[in-house]
Amino acid sequence: MELSVLIEIGDGIGALPTIALCLLTAGIGLSLIRMQGLKVISDMQQASSSGTPLVEHLVHGFFLLVAGMLLFFPGFVTDTLGALLLIPPIRLMLGKAGLAHAAAKGTTGFYRSSHQEAETKSTIIVDGEFWEAEPQTSKVIDQSPKDPEPANSNTRSNKTED
């Protein structure tokens, strides 16, 4: 679909203007994403410091990431979808629909099941006492032989006699 739209627009306005228009929409879109992304990060920091939930800001950030990827790829269909994701009410609507769908399907159950498993596992508690002992000095025992005799002393003397 993307390719057929590019071909149709290229036939209408020409190849070079079509390429220029794709690059222009990508550049404008990515700069808008950068500005909105910085605003979302700032809003997340303020919400985090005030203790309010971050879900809405995470939804905005996620869809801005998706919009950035769509705007990065050349083409008018992906640029249109990416431009639609730059509109905050559309991002919120999609986020609420996605969360409602996930809740209806039960796909968020991984969080619940992992905590239920942790609660059912028994916990072993070991109680004990400790104290610090004085470090013991170890005595080094010299176990080397007093009069070391070469192991091959007999063989040397035999060789010298020959």
Side-chain angles (χ1 to χ4, degrees):
M1 182 170 157
E2 182 76 59
L3 189 57
S4 64
V5 170
L6 275 172
I7 291 172
E8 288 296 321
I9 292 176
D11 283 344
I13 63 173
L16 288 178
T18 302
I19 293 171
L21 192 57
C22 279
L23 293 175
L24 179 68
T25 57
I28 291 172
L30 291 176
S31 66
L32 286 172
I33 285 181
R34 180 173 182 243
M35 287 187 302
Q36 287 189 13
L38 291 174
K39 183 182 181 314
V40 166
I41 290 172
S42 172
D43 291 346
M44 285 179 74
Q45 288 174 342
Q46 289 175 355
S48 176
S49 65
S50 68
T52 59
L54 298 175
V55 176
E56 185 177 322
H57 304 293
L58 291 173
V59 167
H60 283 296
F62 171 74
F63 283 113
L64 282 174
L65 177 69
V66 172
M69 289 189 307
L70 289 172
L71 288 168
F72 182 72
F73 296 126
F76 294 107
V77 175
T78 55
D79 286 349
T80 303
L81 292 174
L84 285 174
L85 289 177
L86 290 176
I87 303 169
I90 291 177
R91 290 194 303 254
L92 278 179
M93 180 186 68
L94 288 172
K96 287 179 182 177
L99 290 174
H101 179 71
K105 288 281 193 178
T107 55
T108 58
F110 72 91
Y111 176 75
R112 288 188 212 115
S113 67
S114 66
H115 286 288
Q116 288 172 352
E117 288 175 11
E119 290 173 1
T120 60
K121 292 181 181 176
S122 64
T123 303
I124 299 173
I125 299 174
V126 178
D127 189 19
E129 297 178 6
F130 74 95
W131 60 91
E132 286 189 31
E134 294 293 325
Q136 296 179 356
T137 58
S138 61
K139 295 180 180 179
V140 178
I141 301 172
D142 187 16
Q143 296 180 352
S144 61
K146 300 283 184 202
D147 194 17
E149 190 172 312
N152 296 332
S153 62
N154 293 339
T155 56
R156 285 186 188 166
S157 62
N158 290 342
K159 287 183 181 179
T160 55
E161 291 175 7
D162 287 338

